[in-house]
Amino acid sequence: MSFDLPDLPYAHDALASKGMSKETLEYHHDKHHAAYATKTTDMVKGSEWEGKSIEEIVKGTYDASSVTQSGLFDNASQYWNHVQFWEWMTPDDSKMPGELESALTESFGSVDTFKDEFKSAGGGQFGSGWCWLVKDADGSLKVTSTANGINPLCFGQTALLGCDVWEHSYYIDHRNARPAYLDNFVNNLVNWENVASRM
Ligand SMILES: [Fe+2]
């Protein structure tokens, strides 16, 4: 079983006018995501994880006792994270569906407060990682952040939205300005219809 690199759901230059360049997507998708796919496939081959789904591998190899994870977990989680990440962005103008707007307002007070919390979580994540909007097992919505490739699957949560805050995601377009990248992500790039579909 191989974990293939999915095509981007849009052209490499489709997000350029919205602040994510063709060069970023060429490196991020064609090199970084591709490497996670290849390494996951190689590590799973002949192991006890052969034939398992990517979600089963991520959940099954996560070590809750440590930030440092196995090579298989790191590559499998990053493979999964990036498959979602491309779907969370769109070159189109995306209007937030009413059900999502209501849920965010109920949970955070307003959509703007949610965006502020999401950006703070991403900006405050020390080193490489992700920030998330998750639906917890009890149905509540929360903003979280995780180190490296760790993701909501590890905690039994549903990932509604995630933003990659590894330097490879923003350094070409924003250099060291992670807050500017996060601000552009939530205000210009997010595919809110996709987020709502995951609720
Ligand atoms: Fe990434």
Side-chain angles (χ1 to χ4, degrees):
M1 180 171 177
S2 66
F3 295 99
D4 299 325
L5 179 67
D7 288 337
L8 286 173
Y10 29 75
H12 285 76
D13 62 359
L15 305 179
S17 65
K18 301 174 88 177
M20 188 173 282
S21 66
K22 182 182 177 197
E23 187 182 4
T24 287
L25 288 173
E26 285 171 346
Y27 275 89
H28 200 174
H29 174 269
D30 302 1
K31 299 191 185 300
H32 291 278
H33 195 184
Y36 299 132
T38 303
K39 287 178 186 169
T40 301
T41 299
D42 290 348
M43 288 179 181
V44 166
K45 208 172 285 171
S47 80
E48 61 185 299
W49 300 103
E50 186 101 55
K52 302 287 191 205
S53 70
I54 192 67
E55 290 85 358
E56 287 173 315
I57 296 168
V58 170
K59 288 188 265 191
T61 59
Y62 175 60
D63 177 2
S65 69
S66 175
V67 171
T68 306
Q69 299 290 320
S70 67
L72 177 55
F73 174 86
D74 284 339
N75 283 284
S77 62
Q78 283 289 78
Y79 172 76
W80 186 88
N81 291 345
H82 287 80
V83 172
Q84 320 309 312
F85 186 56
W86 313 129
E87 294 179 359
W88 279 318
M89 297 185 286
T90 177
D92 303 325
D93 286 331
S94 178
K95 190 176 176 336
M96 187 178 288
E99 52 162 340
L100 177 59
E101 190 176 343
S102 300
L104 291 174
T105 303
E106 193 179 314
S107 300
F108 300 98
S110 70
V111 171
D112 283 344
T113 306
F114 153 69
K115 288 181 176 179
D116 287 343
E117 286 191 27
F118 188 83
K119 288 187 286 183
S120 294
Q125 172 59 42
F126 185 75
S128 297
W130 293 72
C131 57
W132 307 95
L133 170 66
V134 302
K135 186 163 89 172
D136 231 330
D138 66 3
S140 62
L141 302 191
K142 292 192 175 94
V143 165
T144 66
S145 65
T146 57
N148 304 320
I150 297 170
N151 67 38
L153 292 175
C154 304
F155 312 108
Q157 299 164 326
T158 303
L160 302 181
L161 175 66
C163 185
D164 186 341
V165 297
W166 286 57
E167 286 184 349
H168 68 223
S169 193
Y170 60 87
Y171 231 82
I172 291 171
D173 297 324
H174 299 278
R175 297 302 173 195
N176 61 327
R178 190 192 285 185
Y181 157 77
L182 282 159
D183 189 67
N184 186 59
F185 179 82
V186 292
N187 288 310
N188 294 322
L189 287 168
V190 174
N191 183 341
W192 297 110
E193 289 89 351
N194 184 282
V195 177
S197 75
R198 295 166 187 258
M199 292 213 298

